Amino acid sequence: MPTLTSFDQTRLSLRAGATCLTTPAGAILLDPPINQKLTGLSKAELLTLKTLNRGPATIAELSTAAGGENISDLLQRLDAAGWLAVTVRDSGHDLYTVHPFGRPGERSDSSPTSSAVLSKFAVLHRDADGFVLEHPLSWCDVRIHDARLLTLLDANTETALPEAVRTRFADDLFRLGFLVADADTEGRAFTTRGWSAPDLWFHRRSTLGDRVVTWEHFGPTKWAKGQFPQPPARKAPYPGEAIALPVPDLDELRAQDPSLTAVIEDRISTRAFDDNAPMTVAQLGELLYRTARSKGVRSEVDGEELVAKPYPSGGSVYELELYPVVRNVAGLAPGMYHYDSHDHVLRPVAAADSTAVAKLVKSTSATLADGAEPQVLIVMGARSGRIMWTYEQVSYAVILKHVGVLMQTVYLVATAMGLGACAQGFGDTAAFVTAAGVDELEECSVGSIIVGSPARG
């Protein structure tokens, strides 16, 4: 257990959020909803737990409080179960702290060689308390108190820190899984080579697990309520003359549409379209109406607006906005439009010959057959504040789930209408921000789907 065996100044404490209740018969470690009973404890061990409950202490201080008795077995048990945070210090100065949030995994007993490098999955970022080093597959974080340690994350960088500190830091990072043996370690297996650092970090940071076991700061907490106004349900309209869209007869569609089973079974991704017989503005209007119109806005609580649309959305906040980028639609001039789902109209956003719109269209070349350009590219923008006002940690993950729901809705309605559709796996978010004239932190591109009249045969 390397974190406890050296550096006389090292301080131990119960991990963040944990407390210990002691009785003459034993003790209970609590970090709701996790708890662990400890029985068969000596008087010295009970005194040690009481000391830890009061705050950080060195091993020497814990031993003194325990009357000089041997408490190493208890400390080993606490460390092995992930109950101890360990702060390494030098000359009375905090260097770094190992913060467990789960049960430690298997630790390597070997030491790093000169070829050891930082894992590709390690993420260093700053929060309100300073710098923290995370690994999405780890059971702990490393809080860096001394910024000089940051230079040691690059093995080739010199630092004025004492050799003992440098060695200890590297040993701990290696044994905790933040350093790997060499630069090729994570490229030898398909599993570690296939995952990228942002994908794996995002996956672990937006799901329940060892790191997140309660709903205190996770999910629909409405953390912003009382601090910030909720972004309105309706996006401010773009200037320019609105283009009214026909409203389809839903009663007639209920009677004449193919069955749900038929459209699910017949749905395909269409990559070739008939530019000689393009989709019409009426068809575009029907597609938008059936998939994304706003059925109404309601307020069940003061200061909060909820929306109803044809597809489901977490918390009924509906953050997605649709931007048809039109190249070839009968009865509609080319250009980028915003679909005002409340009034069922299109509002002009950007000219077809603008550089940003051209980039959005060009991004579809890898999706369609022979690099063709789409009749219509529907870009999905997310007014992220609508989600982030309510949800903590999972906001972007929820947005992407909504994109999938809306994609399927567009696919099925397009199939029912005899139109072709093909979702894009990527898009040019920088071009979208420029074309739409938005702040990316307020609204960003999160998905896109191509629609049009399919080529026959």
Side-chain angles (χ1 to χ4, degrees):
M1 184 168 52
T3 52
L4 301 185
T5 56
S6 63
F7 278 53
D8 292 340
Q9 300 175 52
T10 296
R11 282 181 173 169
L12 310 180
S13 62
L14 294 179
R15 75 186 192 190
T19 57
C20 181
L21 301 178
T22 58
T23 69
I28 301 177
L29 292 163
L30 299 171
D31 186 9
I34 299 169
N35 64 74
Q36 180 179 346
K37 292 183 179 180
L38 300 176
T39 58
L41 299 175
S42 67
K43 180 180 178 180
E45 290 173 329
L46 286 171
L47 289 171
T48 299
L49 290 169
K50 290 179 180 179
T51 304
L52 285 171
N53 215 24
R54 289 194 291 267
T58 65
I59 293 179
E61 290 168 341
L62 291 171
S63 179
T64 299
E69 298 291 329
N70 186 347
I71 56 172
S72 60
D73 286 347
L74 174 64
L75 295 180
Q76 294 279 352
R77 288 174 65 188
L78 295 177
D79 185 64
W83 288 104
L84 288 182
V86 181
T87 300
V88 177
R89 310 176 81 236
D90 181 57
S91 302
H93 177 67
D94 289 354
L95 297 173
Y96 61 95
T97 300
V98 177
H99 282 290
F101 50 80
R103 191 177 187 90
E106 183 177 347
R107 305 183 194 182
S108 171
D109 291 328
S110 59
S111 297
T113 65
S114 59
S115 61
V117 296
L118 195 66
S119 166
K120 77 170 189 176
F121 297 117
V123 176
L124 176 71
H125 67 98
R126 187 182 64 80
D127 61 16
D129 297 318
F131 289 103
V132 61
L133 186 64
E134 298 183 11
H135 193 299
L137 299 181
S138 183
W139 51 271
C140 65
D141 294 334
V142 178
R143 170 75 58 184
I144 297 176
H145 307 294
D146 189 327
R148 292 177 296 173
L149 291 172
L150 299 178
T151 63
L152 297 180
L153 299 179
D154 180 355
N156 297 317
T157 301
E158 294 296 326
T159 178
L161 287 166
E163 177 65 26
V165 170
R166 299 200 300 270
T167 301
R168 171 68 184 275
F169 186 56
D171 283 350
D172 277 354
L173 291 185
F174 187 71
R175 291 177 176 123
L176 297 173
F178 289 85
L179 293 183
V180 294
D182 57 64
D184 296 326
T185 299
E186 290 158 326
R188 296 188 183 106
F190 172 73
T191 49
T192 49
R193 186 169 179 177
W195 279 93
S196 70
D199 283 347
L200 189 56
W201 194 54
F202 170 62
H203 167 66
R204 278 299 184 96
R205 270 295 193 166
S206 59
T207 54
L208 293 169
D210 286 342
R211 181 185 292 279
V212 180
V213 294
T214 71
W215 297 93
E216 185 177 359
H217 295 289
F218 185 88
T221 62
K222 294 189 179 179
W223 66 272
K225 189 177 182 67
Q227 300 183 58
F228 304 95
Q230 185 192 46
R234 184 170 187 172
K235 177 182 172 71
Y238 282 93
E241 187 174 349
I243 300 171
L245 296 171
V247 175
D249 186 334
L250 293 181
D251 290 334
E252 182 178 353
L253 291 172
R254 284 176 183 272
Q256 297 184 359
D257 251 7
S259 69
L260 177 62
T261 298
V263 295
I264 289 176
E265 293 300 316
D266 294 345
R267 184 216 60 80
I268 61 171
S269 288
T270 301
R271 300 181 186 274
F273 294 86
D274 186 356
D275 264 358
N276 293 319
M279 70 183 299
T280 66
V281 66
Q283 287 176 311
L284 178 59
E286 179 180 332
L287 181 68
L288 294 172
Y289 188 86
R290 295 176 66 176
T291 58
R293 77 185 183 282
S294 293
K295 298 180 178 181
V297 177
R298 67 188 189 279
S299 181
E300 298 176 352
V301 178
D302 287 346
E304 298 182 36
E305 291 182 325
L306 305 179
V307 186
K309 292 191 178 187
Y311 64 93
S313 179
S316 295
V317 296
Y318 287 97
E319 77 287 355
L320 298 182
E321 301 283 343
L322 297 189
Y323 292 81
V325 179
V326 174
R327 183 187 66 86
N328 187 8
V329 171
L332 187 61
M336 179 177 177
Y337 297 86
H338 172 248
Y339 175 55
D340 184 336
S341 63
H342 298 268
D343 289 345
H344 189 53
V345 299
L346 292 178
R347 300 185 187 275
V349 174
D353 59 358
S354 71
T355 301
V357 171
K359 286 182 178 180
L360 289 172
V361 172
K362 186 178 180 180
S363 71
T364 66
S365 61
T367 303
L368 298 184
D370 302 320
E373 293 186 339
Q375 291 177 11
V376 179
L377 171 68
I378 299 178
V379 181
M380 300 177 184
R383 294 171 59 222
S384 53
R386 286 286 297 170
I387 284 288
M388 293 176 179
W389 190 89
T390 295
Y391 290 88
E392 282 191 79
Q393 286 197 209
V394 300
S395 302
Y396 195 67
V398 171
I399 288 172
L400 296 184
K401 291 176 174 67
H402 293 163
V403 169
V405 169
L406 182 52
M407 287 279 194
Q408 176 73 333
T409 302
V410 172
Y411 258 121
L412 297 183
V413 173
T415 302
M417 293 176 60
L419 297 173
C422 186
Q424 272 193 289
F426 52 86
D428 192 329
T429 188
F432 168 78
V433 166
T434 301
V438 295
D439 180 339
E440 191 167 8
L441 296 182
E442 295 181 357
E443 186 172 359
C444 57
S445 168
V446 288
S448 52
I449 186 167
I450 295 163
V451 293
S453 56
R456 302 301 173 186

